[in-house]
Amino acid sequence: MRYRRPKYFKEKLESFEDTYLVKQPEQWKGKWRTKFQDCKDIFLEIGVGKGQFLYELSKRNPKSAYIGMEKLDALLIQSCQRAERESLKNICFMGKNASCLEEYFEENELDGIYLNFSDPWKKSKQAKRRLTHGLMLEKYEKVCRNGAILEFKTDNEELFEFSLGCLKESQYEIVFLTYDLHQEESCEDNIVTEYERNFLNLGKKICKVKCILKKNANL
Ligand SMILES: C[S@@+](CC[C@H](N)C(=O)[O-])C[C@H]1O[C@@H](n2cnc3c(N)ncnc32)[C@H](O)[C@@H]1O
């Protein structure tokens, strides 16, 4: 994503450090439930971008907590401003890279992960950077509890096929799969992300897979 950082972005971000921006998420490892005491479960979105998806989800489900991770921290200003405007109590953000996930979450701490329009990393030598690569799925399996969900949407069929292959090798069980989400009845509940809106406007079909984590007791 090409993105020019806004002026004074550091100062703007710092102003949310006591509220919506978690500066040192490693300090919350194993303790996220104490941060969101009124919430029964905790979900993570990796690569939130400008955060529209997580914002809608947190408004729909005030008894669940939502953590947004984004490696381009300047993008989080808009997410924090929106959360503040609505005084949301069940959402926060971190400007971090998912490659270090285990530094921020304890084993079995999360109830689910959302991946929306993750970067495709088209060249095969870049495959390990894909958020649905087997190495990343292993990280998700570790920080998520048995029965946790994983949802992934993309417009990119090649990335989708690659991801399905990785999921089949993982401890995730696929419970829903479509190559054209917006033709499905279940699409009524779908939250359209910023990238999804752009792809829909271009006439592209949206692929989606939903999985449940079935942890192997022998591992
Ligand atoms: C194509 S954008 C999609 C944004 C948003 N999810 C949407 O659907 O509109 C992908 C986002 O993921 C972020 N991202 C990519 N790899 C990441 C990683 N390893 N950790 C955290 N964020 C990542 C990028 O910075 C970018 O903002």
Side-chain angles (χ1 to χ4, degrees), residues 1 45-49 69-72 75 96-99 116-119 131 193-196:
M1 179 193 278
E45 184 190 1
I46 301 175
V48 290
M69 179 182 272
E70 171 54 60
K71 68 179 182 184
L72 300 177
L75 282 176
K96 297 289 177 190
N97 194 311
S99 57
N116 291 315
F117 301 88
S118 309
D119 298 332
L131 291 178
T193 78
E194 285 96 349
Y195 269 68
E196 187 169 356

mmCIF file with all atom_site columns, all heavy atoms in Angstrom, residues 1 45-49 69-72 75 96-99 116-119 131 193-196, ligand 1:
data_model
loop_
_atom_site.group_PDB
_atom_site.id
_atom_site.type_symbol
_atom_site.label_atom_id
_atom_site.label_alt_id
_atom_site.label_comp_id
_atom_site.label_asym_id
_atom_site.label_entity_id
_atom_site.label_seq_id
_atom_site.pdbx_PDB_ins_code
_atom_site.Cartn_x
_atom_site.Cartn_y
_atom_site.Cartn_z
_atom_site.occupancy
_atom_site.B_iso_or_equiv
_atom_site.pdbx_formal_charge
_atom_site.auth_seq_id
_atom_site.auth_comp_id
_atom_site.auth_asym_id
_atom_site.auth_atom_id
_atom_site.pdbx_PDB_model_num
ATOM   1   N N   . MET A 1 1   ? 0.854   -1.193  0.000  1.00 0.00 ? 1   MET A N   1
ATOM   2   C CA  . MET A 1 1   ? 0.000   0.000   0.000  1.00 0.00 ? 1   MET A CA  1
ATOM   3   C C   . MET A 1 1   ? 0.892   1.245   0.000  1.00 0.00 ? 1   MET A C   1
ATOM   4   O O   . MET A 1 1   ? 1.774   1.366   0.842  1.00 0.00 ? 1   MET A O   1
ATOM   5   C CB  . MET A 1 1   ? -0.848  0.000   1.274  1.00 0.00 ? 1   MET A CB  1
ATOM   6   C CG  . MET A 1 1   ? -1.755  1.197   1.413  1.00 0.00 ? 1   MET A CG  1
ATOM   7   S SD  . MET A 1 1   ? -2.439  1.346   3.065  1.00 0.00 ? 1   MET A SD  1
ATOM   8   C CE  . MET A 1 1   ? -3.771  0.200   2.955  1.00 0.00 ? 1   MET A CE  1
ATOM   9   N N   . GLU A 1 45  ? -7.684  -8.410  14.345 1.00 0.00 ? 45  GLU A N   1
ATOM   10  C CA  . GLU A 1 45  ? -7.607  -8.265  12.883 1.00 0.00 ? 45  GLU A CA  1
ATOM   11  C C   . GLU A 1 45  ? -6.174  -7.862  12.541 1.00 0.00 ? 45  GLU A C   1
ATOM   12  O O   . GLU A 1 45  ? -5.628  -6.917  13.131 1.00 0.00 ? 45  GLU A O   1
ATOM   13  C CB  . GLU A 1 45  ? -8.576  -7.206  12.334 1.00 0.00 ? 45  GLU A CB  1
ATOM   14  C CG  . GLU A 1 45  ? -8.524  -7.177  10.797 1.00 0.00 ? 45  GLU A CG  1
ATOM   15  C CD  . GLU A 1 45  ? -9.267  -6.015  10.153 1.00 0.00 ? 45  GLU A CD  1
ATOM   16  O OE1 . GLU A 1 45  ? -9.834  -5.162  10.849 1.00 0.00 ? 45  GLU A OE1 1
ATOM   17  O OE2 . GLU A 1 45  ? -9.256  -5.947  8.903  1.00 0.00 ? 45  GLU A OE2 1
ATOM   18  N N   . ILE A 1 46  ? -5.573  -8.575  11.602 1.00 0.00 ? 46  ILE A N   1
ATOM   19  C CA  . ILE A 1 46  ? -4.197  -8.256  11.193 1.00 0.00 ? 46  ILE A CA  1
ATOM   20  C C   . ILE A 1 46  ? -4.241  -7.511  9.862  1.00 0.00 ? 46  ILE A C   1
ATOM   21  O O   . ILE A 1 46  ? -4.828  -8.000  8.889  1.00 0.00 ? 46  ILE A O   1
ATOM   22  C CB  . ILE A 1 46  ? -3.355  -9.544  11.050 1.00 0.00 ? 46  ILE A CB  1
ATOM   23  C CG1 . ILE A 1 46  ? -3.326  -10.307 12.378 1.00 0.00 ? 46  ILE A CG1 1
ATOM   24  C CG2 . ILE A 1 46  ? -1.939  -9.191  10.599 1.00 0.00 ? 46  ILE A CG2 1
ATOM   25  C CD1 . ILE A 1 46  ? -2.624  -11.658 12.298 1.00 0.00 ? 46  ILE A CD1 1
ATOM   26  N N   . GLY A 1 47  ? -3.629  -6.315  9.840  1.00 0.00 ? 47  GLY A N   1
ATOM   27  C CA  . GLY A 1 47  ? -3.642  -5.493  8.621  1.00 0.00 ? 47  GLY A CA  1
ATOM   28  C C   . GLY A 1 47  ? -4.940  -4.703  8.525  1.00 0.00 ? 47  GLY A C   1
ATOM   29  O O   . GLY A 1 47  ? -5.635  -4.780  7.512  1.00 0.00 ? 47  GLY A O   1
ATOM   30  N N   . VAL A 1 48  ? -5.249  -3.928  9.573  1.00 0.00 ? 48  VAL A N   1
ATOM   31  C CA  . VAL A 1 48  ? -6.560  -3.244  9.625  1.00 0.00 ? 48  VAL A CA  1
ATOM   32  C C   . VAL A 1 48  ? -6.683  -2.122  8.609  1.00 0.00 ? 48  VAL A C   1
ATOM   33  O O   . VAL A 1 48  ? -7.780  -1.686  8.305  1.00 0.00 ? 48  VAL A O   1
ATOM   34  C CB  . VAL A 1 48  ? -6.871  -2.651  11.031 1.00 0.00 ? 48  VAL A CB  1
ATOM   35  C CG1 . VAL A 1 48  ? -7.143  -3.720  12.030 1.00 0.00 ? 48  VAL A CG1 1
ATOM   36  C CG2 . VAL A 1 48  ? -5.778  -1.728  11.507 1.00 0.00 ? 48  VAL A CG2 1
ATOM   37  N N   . GLY A 1 49  ? -5.532  -1.624  8.104  1.00 0.00 ? 49  GLY A N   1
ATOM   38  C CA  . GLY A 1 49  ? -5.614  -0.469  7.203  1.00 0.00 ? 49  GLY A CA  1
ATOM   39  C C   . GLY A 1 49  ? -6.202  0.715   7.961  1.00 0.00 ? 49  GLY A C   1
ATOM   40  O O   . GLY A 1 49  ? -5.742  1.051   9.055  1.00 0.00 ? 49  GLY A O   1
ATOM   41  N N   . MET A 1 69  ? -4.272  -4.812  14.446 1.00 0.00 ? 69  MET A N   1
ATOM   42  C CA  . MET A 1 69  ? -2.815  -4.741  14.265 1.00 0.00 ? 69  MET A CA  1
ATOM   43  C C   . MET A 1 69  ? -2.526  -4.218  12.865 1.00 0.00 ? 69  MET A C   1
ATOM   44  O O   . MET A 1 69  ? -3.137  -4.668  11.896 1.00 0.00 ? 69  MET A O   1
ATOM   45  C CB  . MET A 1 69  ? -2.235  -6.151  14.442 1.00 0.00 ? 69  MET A CB  1
ATOM   46  C CG  . MET A 1 69  ? -0.746  -6.232  14.256 1.00 0.00 ? 69  MET A CG  1
ATOM   47  S SD  . MET A 1 69  ? -0.155  -7.932  14.430 1.00 0.00 ? 69  MET A SD  1
ATOM   48  C CE  . MET A 1 69  ? 0.122   -8.036  16.164 1.00 0.00 ? 69  MET A CE  1
ATOM   49  N N   . GLU A 1 70  ? -1.592  -3.261  12.778 1.00 0.00 ? 70  GLU A N   1
ATOM   50  C CA  . GLU A 1 70  ? -1.262  -2.666  11.470 1.00 0.00 ? 70  GLU A CA  1
ATOM   51  C C   . GLU A 1 70  ? 0.214   -2.268  11.496 1.00 0.00 ? 70  GLU A C   1
ATOM   52  O O   . GLU A 1 70  ? 0.636   -1.527  12.382 1.00 0.00 ? 70  GLU A O   1
ATOM   53  C CB  . GLU A 1 70  ? -2.171  -1.460  11.221 1.00 0.00 ? 70  GLU A CB  1
ATOM   54  C CG  . GLU A 1 70  ? -1.833  -0.609  10.029 1.00 0.00 ? 70  GLU A CG  1
ATOM   55  C CD  . GLU A 1 70  ? -1.726  -1.390  8.722  1.00 0.00 ? 70  GLU A CD  1
ATOM   56  O OE1 . GLU A 1 70  ? -2.715  -2.009  8.312  1.00 0.00 ? 70  GLU A OE1 1
ATOM   57  O OE2 . GLU A 1 70  ? -0.625  -1.359  8.117  1.00 0.00 ? 70  GLU A OE2 1
ATOM   58  N N   . LYS A 1 71  ? 0.969   -2.758  10.518 1.00 0.00 ? 71  LYS A N   1
ATOM   59  C CA  . LYS A 1 71  ? 2.406   -2.462  10.554 1.00 0.00 ? 71  LYS A CA  1
ATOM   60  C C   . LYS A 1 71  ? 2.707   -1.006  10.176 1.00 0.00 ? 71  LYS A C   1
ATOM   61  O O   . LYS A 1 71  ? 3.729   -0.476  10.585 1.00 0.00 ? 71  LYS A O   1
ATOM   62  C CB  . LYS A 1 71  ? 3.181   -3.441  9.670  1.00 0.00 ? 71  LYS A CB  1
ATOM   63  C CG  . LYS A 1 71  ? 2.932   -3.313  8.199  1.00 0.00 ? 71  LYS A CG  1
ATOM   64  C CD  . LYS A 1 71  ? 3.764   -4.304  7.415  1.00 0.00 ? 71  LYS A CD  1
ATOM   65  C CE  . LYS A 1 71  ? 3.539   -4.116  5.929  1.00 0.00 ? 71  LYS A CE  1
ATOM   66  N NZ  . LYS A 1 71  ? 4.238   -5.084  5.113  1.00 0.00 ? 71  LYS A NZ  1
ATOM   67  N N   . LEU A 1 72  ? 1.824   -0.355  9.421  1.00 0.00 ? 72  LEU A N   1
ATOM   68  C CA  . LEU A 1 72  ? 2.009   1.070   9.101  1.00 0.00 ? 72  LEU A CA  1
ATOM   69  C C   . LEU A 1 72  ? 1.268   1.892   10.147 1.00 0.00 ? 72  LEU A C   1
ATOM   70  O O   . LEU A 1 72  ? 0.077   2.198   9.995  1.00 0.00 ? 72  LEU A O   1
ATOM   71  C CB  . LEU A 1 72  ? 1.469   1.384   7.700  1.00 0.00 ? 72  LEU A CB  1
ATOM   72  C CG  . LEU A 1 72  ? 2.108   0.625   6.537  1.00 0.00 ? 72  LEU A CG  1
ATOM   73  C CD1 . LEU A 1 72  ? 1.422   0.984   5.225  1.00 0.00 ? 72  LEU A CD1 1
ATOM   74  C CD2 . LEU A 1 72  ? 3.597   0.935   6.456  1.00 0.00 ? 72  LEU A CD2 1
ATOM   75  N N   . LEU A 1 75  ? -1.343  4.785   9.733  1.00 0.00 ? 75  LEU A N   1
ATOM   76  C CA  . LEU A 1 75  ? -2.707  4.491   9.274  1.00 0.00 ? 75  LEU A CA  1
ATOM   77  C C   . LEU A 1 75  ? -3.692  4.429   10.433 1.00 0.00 ? 75  LEU A C   1
ATOM   78  O O   . LEU A 1 75  ? -4.894  4.559   10.254 1.00 0.00 ? 75  LEU A O   1
ATOM   79  C CB  . LEU A 1 75  ? -2.733  3.137   8.549  1.00 0.00 ? 75  LEU A CB  1
ATOM   80  C CG  . LEU A 1 75  ? -2.212  3.099   7.123  1.00 0.00 ? 75  LEU A CG  1
ATOM   81  C CD1 . LEU A 1 75  ? -2.227  1.676   6.604  1.00 0.00 ? 75  LEU A CD1 1
ATOM   82  C CD2 . LEU A 1 75  ? -3.066  3.975   6.230  1.00 0.00 ? 75  LEU A CD2 1
ATOM   83  N N   . LYS A 1 96  ? 2.037   -2.695  14.878 1.00 0.00 ? 96  LYS A N   1
ATOM   84  C CA  . LYS A 1 96  ? 3.026   -3.774  14.941 1.00 0.00 ? 96  LYS A CA  1
ATOM   85  C C   . LYS A 1 96  ? 2.907   -4.707  13.741 1.00 0.00 ? 96  LYS A C   1
ATOM   86  O O   . LYS A 1 96  ? 1.877   -4.737  13.062 1.00 0.00 ? 96  LYS A O   1
ATOM   87  C CB  . LYS A 1 96  ? 2.830   -4.604  16.215 1.00 0.00 ? 96  LYS A CB  1
ATOM   88  C CG  . LYS A 1 96  ? 3.053   -3.816  17.494 1.00 0.00 ? 96  LYS A CG  1
ATOM   89  C CD  . LYS A 1 96  ? 4.527   -3.485  17.681 1.00 0.00 ? 96  LYS A CD  1
ATOM   90  C CE  . LYS A 1 96  ? 4.730   -2.631  18.916 1.00 0.00 ? 96  LYS A CE  1
ATOM   91  N NZ  . LYS A 1 96  ? 6.081   -2.088  19.026 1.00 0.00 ? 96  LYS A NZ  1
ATOM   92  N N   . ASN A 1 97  ? 3.970   -5.518  13.573 1.00 0.00 ? 97  ASN A N   1
ATOM   93  C CA  . ASN A 1 97  ? 3.999   -6.500  12.483 1.00 0.00 ? 97  ASN A CA  1
ATOM   94  C C   . ASN A 1 97  ? 3.600   -7.869  13.020 1.00 0.00 ? 97  ASN A C   1
ATOM   95  O O   . ASN A 1 97  ? 4.085   -8.297  14.082 1.00 0.00 ? 97  ASN A O   1
ATOM   96  C CB  . ASN A 1 97  ? 5.418   -6.563  11.907 1.00 0.00 ? 97  ASN A CB  1
ATOM   97  C CG  . ASN A 1 97  ? 5.462   -7.278  10.588 1.00 0.00 ? 97  ASN A CG  1
ATOM   98  O OD1 . ASN A 1 97  ? 4.921   -8.380  10.442 1.00 0.00 ? 97  ASN A OD1 1
ATOM   99  N ND2 . ASN A 1 97  ? 6.086   -6.668  9.613  1.00 0.00 ? 97  ASN A ND2 1
ATOM   100 N N   . ALA A 1 98  ? 2.758   -8.553  12.275 1.00 0.00 ? 98  ALA A N   1
ATOM   101 C CA  . ALA A 1 98  ? 2.238   -9.854  12.728 1.00 0.00 ? 98  ALA A CA  1
ATOM   102 C C   . ALA A 1 98  ? 3.322   -10.923 12.849 1.00 0.00 ? 98  ALA A C   1
ATOM   103 O O   . ALA A 1 98  ? 3.103   -11.957 13.476 1.00 0.00 ? 98  ALA A O   1
ATOM   104 C CB  . ALA A 1 98  ? 1.155   -10.331 11.770 1.00 0.00 ? 98  ALA A CB  1
ATOM   105 N N   . SER A 1 99  ? 4.485   -10.678 12.277 1.00 0.00 ? 99  SER A N   1
ATOM   106 C CA  . SER A 1 99  ? 5.546   -11.684 12.379 1.00 0.00 ? 99  SER A CA  1
ATOM   107 C C   . SER A 1 99  ? 5.958   -11.903 13.837 1.00 0.00 ? 99  SER A C   1
ATOM   108 O O   . SER A 1 99  ? 6.519   -12.936 14.167 1.00 0.00 ? 99  SER A O   1
ATOM   109 C CB  . SER A 1 99  ? 6.750   -11.264 11.529 1.00 0.00 ? 99  SER A CB  1
ATOM   110 O OG  . SER A 1 99  ? 7.187   -10.002 11.953 1.00 0.00 ? 99  SER A OG  1
ATOM   111 N N   . ASN A 1 116 ? -8.246  -9.407  6.192  1.00 0.00 ? 116 ASN A N   1
ATOM   112 C CA  . ASN A 1 116 ? -9.031  -8.844  5.091  1.00 0.00 ? 116 ASN A CA  1
ATOM   113 C C   . ASN A 1 116 ? -8.113  -8.239  4.038  1.00 0.00 ? 116 ASN A C   1
ATOM   114 O O   . ASN A 1 116 ? -7.385  -7.285  4.319  1.00 0.00 ? 116 ASN A O   1
ATOM   115 C CB  . ASN A 1 116 ? -9.978  -7.763  5.609  1.00 0.00 ? 116 ASN A CB  1
ATOM   116 C CG  . ASN A 1 116 ? -11.083 -8.352  6.468  1.00 0.00 ? 116 ASN A CG  1
ATOM   117 O OD1 . ASN A 1 116 ? -11.683 -9.362  6.099  1.00 0.00 ? 116 ASN A OD1 1
ATOM   118 N ND2 . ASN A 1 116 ? -11.339 -7.742  7.622  1.00 0.00 ? 116 ASN A ND2 1
ATOM   119 N N   . PHE A 1 117 ? -8.146  -8.805  2.843  1.00 0.00 ? 117 PHE A N   1
ATOM   120 C CA  . PHE A 1 117 ? -7.418  -8.259  1.693  1.00 0.00 ? 117 PHE A CA  1
ATOM   121 C C   . PHE A 1 117 ? -5.929  -8.081  2.016  1.00 0.00 ? 117 PHE A C   1
ATOM   122 O O   . PHE A 1 117 ? -5.334  -7.031  1.747  1.00 0.00 ? 117 PHE A O   1
ATOM   123 C CB  . PHE A 1 117 ? -8.103  -6.963  1.198  1.00 0.00 ? 117 PHE A CB  1
ATOM   124 C CG  . PHE A 1 117 ? -9.516  -7.266  0.821  1.00 0.00 ? 117 PHE A CG  1
ATOM   125 C CD1 . PHE A 1 117 ? -10.539 -7.203  1.760  1.00 0.00 ? 117 PHE A CD1 1
ATOM   126 C CD2 . PHE A 1 117 ? -9.797  -7.736  -0.437 1.00 0.00 ? 117 PHE A CD2 1
ATOM   127 C CE1 . PHE A 1 117 ? -11.833 -7.586  1.435  1.00 0.00 ? 117 PHE A CE1 1
ATOM   128 C CE2 . PHE A 1 117 ? -11.088 -8.111  -0.777 1.00 0.00 ? 117 PHE A CE2 1
ATOM   129 C CZ  . PHE A 1 117 ? -12.102 -8.036  0.165  1.00 0.00 ? 117 PHE A CZ  1
ATOM   130 N N   . SER A 1 118 ? -5.372  -9.139  2.584  1.00 0.00 ? 118 SER A N   1
ATOM   131 C CA  . SER A 1 118 ? -3.949  -9.137  2.929  1.00 0.00 ? 118 SER A CA  1
ATOM   132 C C   . SER A 1 118 ? -3.105  -8.980  1.663  1.00 0.00 ? 118 SER A C   1
ATOM   133 O O   . SER A 1 118 ? -3.500  -9.450  0.587  1.00 0.00 ? 118 SER A O   1
ATOM   134 C CB  . SER A 1 118 ? -3.592  -10.463 3.599  1.00 0.00 ? 118 SER A CB  1
ATOM   135 O OG  . SER A 1 118 ? -4.489  -10.728 4.658  1.00 0.00 ? 118 SER A OG  1
ATOM   136 N N   . ASP A 1 119 ? -1.947  -8.359  1.821  1.00 0.00 ? 119 ASP A N   1
ATOM   137 C CA  . ASP A 1 119 ? -1.064  -8.143  0.667  1.00 0.00 ? 119 ASP A CA  1
ATOM   138 C C   . ASP A 1 119 ? -0.751  -9.490  0.003  1.00 0.00 ? 119 ASP A C   1
ATOM   139 O O   . ASP A 1 119 ? -0.392  -10.453 0.690  1.00 0.00 ? 119 ASP A O   1
ATOM   140 C CB  . ASP A 1 119 ? 0.243   -7.486  1.128  1.00 0.00 ? 119 ASP A CB  1
ATOM   141 C CG  . ASP A 1 119 ? -0.009  -6.112  1.747  1.00 0.00 ? 119 ASP A CG  1
ATOM   142 O OD1 . ASP A 1 119 ? -1.005  -5.474  1.367  1.00 0.00 ? 119 ASP A OD1 1
ATOM   143 O OD2 . ASP A 1 119 ? 0.762   -5.697  2.614  1.00 0.00 ? 119 ASP A OD2 1
ATOM   144 N N   . LEU A 1 131 ? 0.208   -13.536 4.777  1.00 0.00 ? 131 LEU A N   1
ATOM   145 C CA  . LEU A 1 131 ? -0.349  -13.738 6.125  1.00 0.00 ? 131 LEU A CA  1
ATOM   146 C C   . LEU A 1 131 ? -1.076  -15.074 6.257  1.00 0.00 ? 131 LEU A C   1
ATOM   147 O O   . LEU A 1 131 ? -1.445  -15.472 7.359  1.00 0.00 ? 131 LEU A O   1
ATOM   148 C CB  . LEU A 1 131 ? -1.276  -12.573 6.494  1.00 0.00 ? 131 LEU A CB  1
ATOM   149 C CG  . LEU A 1 131 ? -0.573  -11.235 6.732  1.00 0.00 ? 131 LEU A CG  1
ATOM   150 C CD1 . LEU A 1 131 ? -1.583  -10.137 7.047  1.00 0.00 ? 131 LEU A CD1 1
ATOM   151 C CD2 . LEU A 1 131 ? 0.457   -11.332 7.852  1.00 0.00 ? 131 LEU A CD2 1
ATOM   152 N N   . THR A 1 193 ? -14.982 -3.861  3.690  1.00 0.00 ? 193 THR A N   1
ATOM   153 C CA  . THR A 1 193 ? -13.779 -3.111  4.097  1.00 0.00 ? 193 THR A CA  1
ATOM   154 C C   . THR A 1 193 ? -13.458 -2.052  3.033  1.00 0.00 ? 193 THR A C   1
ATOM   155 O O   . THR A 1 193 ? -14.059 -2.050  1.950  1.00 0.00 ? 193 THR A O   1
ATOM   156 C CB  . THR A 1 193 ? -12.559 -4.059  4.250  1.00 0.00 ? 193 THR A CB  1
ATOM   157 O OG1 . THR A 1 193 ? -12.048 -4.351  2.949  1.00 0.00 ? 193 THR A OG1 1
ATOM   158 C CG2 . THR A 1 193 ? -12.908 -5.352  4.968  1.00 0.00 ? 193 THR A CG2 1
ATOM   159 N N   . GLU A 1 194 ? -12.481 -1.192  3.343  1.00 0.00 ? 194 GLU A N   1
ATOM   160 C CA  . GLU A 1 194 ? -12.114 -0.143  2.379  1.00 0.00 ? 194 GLU A CA  1
ATOM   161 C C   . GLU A 1 194 ? -11.656 -0.762  1.045  1.00 0.00 ? 194 GLU A C   1
ATOM   162 O O   . GLU A 1 194 ? -12.088 -0.342  -0.034 1.00 0.00 ? 194 GLU A O   1
ATOM   163 C CB  . GLU A 1 194 ? -10.979 0.744   2.928  1.00 0.00 ? 194 GLU A CB  1
ATOM   164 C CG  . GLU A 1 194 ? -11.419 1.732   3.991  1.00 0.00 ? 194 GLU A CG  1
ATOM   165 C CD  . GLU A 1 194 ? -11.184 1.227   5.407  1.00 0.00 ? 194 GLU A CD  1
ATOM   166 O OE1 . GLU A 1 194 ? -10.878 0.025   5.582  1.00 0.00 ? 194 GLU A OE1 1
ATOM   167 O OE2 . GLU A 1 194 ? -11.317 2.036   6.344  1.00 0.00 ? 194 GLU A OE2 1
ATOM   168 N N   . TYR A 1 195 ? -10.775 -1.755  1.139  1.00 0.00 ? 195 TYR A N   1
ATOM   169 C CA  . TYR A 1 195 ? -10.285 -2.393  -0.093 1.00 0.00 ? 195 TYR A CA  1
ATOM   170 C C   . TYR A 1 195 ? -11.390 -3.150  -0.813 1.00 0.00 ? 195 TYR A C   1
ATOM   171 O O   . TYR A 1 195 ? -11.453 -3.154  -2.040 1.00 0.00 ? 195 TYR A O   1
ATOM   172 C CB  . TYR A 1 195 ? -9.112  -3.337  0.232  1.00 0.00 ? 195 TYR A CB  1
ATOM   173 C CG  . TYR A 1 195 ? -7.784  -2.633  0.138  1.00 0.00 ? 195 TYR A CG  1
ATOM   174 C CD1 . TYR A 1 195 ? -7.440  -1.651  1.053  1.00 0.00 ? 195 TYR A CD1 1
ATOM   175 C CD2 . TYR A 1 195 ? -6.876  -2.924  -0.873 1.00 0.00 ? 195 TYR A CD2 1
ATOM   176 C CE1 . TYR A 1 195 ? -6.232  -0.981  0.974  1.00 0.00 ? 195 TYR A CE1 1
ATOM   177 C CE2 . TYR A 1 195 ? -5.659  -2.265  -0.961 1.00 0.00 ? 195 TYR A CE2 1
ATOM   178 C CZ  . TYR A 1 195 ? -5.342  -1.290  -0.031 1.00 0.00 ? 195 TYR A CZ  1
ATOM   179 O OH  . TYR A 1 195 ? -4.142  -0.628  -0.128 1.00 0.00 ? 195 TYR A OH  1
ATOM   180 N N   . GLU A 1 196 ? -12.247 -3.774  -0.050 1.00 0.00 ? 196 GLU A N   1
ATOM   181 C CA  . GLU A 1 196 ? -13.361 -4.537  -0.659 1.00 0.00 ? 196 GLU A CA  1
ATOM   182 C C   . GLU A 1 196 ? -14.243 -3.601  -1.487 1.00 0.00 ? 196 GLU A C   1
ATOM   183 O O   . GLU A 1 196 ? -14.650 -3.935  -2.597 1.00 0.00 ? 196 GLU A O   1
ATOM   184 C CB  . GLU A 1 196 ? -14.173 -5.199  0.468  1.00 0.00 ? 196 GLU A CB  1
ATOM   185 C CG  . GLU A 1 196 ? -15.246 -6.144  -0.002 1.00 0.00 ? 196 GLU A CG  1
ATOM   186 C CD  . GLU A 1 196 ? -15.806 -6.957  1.171  1.00 0.00 ? 196 GLU A CD  1
ATOM   187 O OE1 . GLU A 1 196 ? -15.294 -6.821  2.301  1.00 0.00 ? 196 GLU A OE1 1
ATOM   188 O OE2 . GLU A 1 196 ? -16.751 -7.718  0.944  1.00 0.00 ? 196 GLU A OE2 1
HETATM 189 C C1  . LIG B 2 .   ? -4.286  -4.308  1.239  1.00 0.00 ? 1   LIG B C1  1
HETATM 190 S S1  . LIG B 2 .   ? -4.381  -3.553  2.787  1.00 0.00 ? 1   LIG B S1  1
HETATM 191 C C2  . LIG B 2 .   ? -6.009  -4.017  3.383  1.00 0.00 ? 1   LIG B C2  1
HETATM 192 C C3  . LIG B 2 .   ? -6.508  -3.078  4.451  1.00 0.00 ? 1   LIG B C3  1
HETATM 193 C C4  . LIG B 2 .   ? -7.870  -3.460  5.076  1.00 0.00 ? 1   LIG B C4  1
HETATM 194 N N1  . LIG B 2 .   ? -7.811  -4.726  5.737  1.00 0.00 ? 1   LIG B N1  1
HETATM 195 C C5  . LIG B 2 .   ? -8.960  -3.494  4.041  1.00 0.00 ? 1   LIG B C5  1
HETATM 196 O O1  . LIG B 2 .   ? -9.476  -4.561  3.722  1.00 0.00 ? 1   LIG B O1  1
HETATM 197 O O2  . LIG B 2 .   ? -9.340  -2.412  3.568  1.00 0.00 ? 1   LIG B O2  1
HETATM 198 C C6  . LIG B 2 .   ? -3.328  -4.629  3.750  1.00 0.00 ? 1   LIG B C6  1
HETATM 199 C C7  . LIG B 2 .   ? -2.888  -3.991  5.062  1.00 0.00 ? 1   LIG B C7  1
HETATM 200 O O3  . LIG B 2 .   ? -2.198  -4.967  5.822  1.00 0.00 ? 1   LIG B O3  1
HETATM 201 C C8  . LIG B 2 .   ? -1.063  -4.370  6.413  1.00 0.00 ? 1   LIG B C8  1
HETATM 202 N N2  . LIG B 2 .   ? -0.099  -5.461  6.666  1.00 0.00 ? 1   LIG B N2  1
HETATM 203 C C9  . LIG B 2 .   ? 0.503   -6.226  5.726  1.00 0.00 ? 1   LIG B C9  1
HETATM 204 N N3  . LIG B 2 .   ? 1.319   -7.132  6.290  1.00 0.00 ? 1   LIG B N3  1
HETATM 205 C C10 . LIG B 2 .   ? 1.223   -6.936  7.638  1.00 0.00 ? 1   LIG B C10 1
HETATM 206 C C11 . LIG B 2 .   ? 1.840   -7.549  8.756  1.00 0.00 ? 1   LIG B C11 1
HETATM 207 N N4  . LIG B 2 .   ? 2.723   -8.549  8.595  1.00 0.00 ? 1   LIG B N4  1
HETATM 208 N N5  . LIG B 2 .   ? 1.521   -7.125  9.998  1.00 0.00 ? 1   LIG B N5  1
HETATM 209 C C12 . LIG B 2 .   ? 0.645   -6.091  10.156 1.00 0.00 ? 1   LIG B C12 1
HETATM 210 N N6  . LIG B 2 .   ? 0.038   -5.458  9.127  1.00 0.00 ? 1   LIG B N6  1
HETATM 211 C C13 . LIG B 2 .   ? 0.311   -5.875  7.882  1.00 0.00 ? 1   LIG B C13 1
HETATM 212 C C14 . LIG B 2 .   ? -0.597  -3.360  5.381  1.00 0.00 ? 1   LIG B C14 1
HETATM 213 O O4  . LIG B 2 .   ? 0.207   -2.348  5.941  1.00 0.00 ? 1   LIG B O4  1
HETATM 214 C C15 . LIG B 2 .   ? -1.925  -2.830  4.862  1.00 0.00 ? 1   LIG B C15 1
HETATM 215 O O5  . LIG B 2 .   ? -2.390  -1.726  5.605  1.00 0.00 ? 1   LIG B O5  1
#
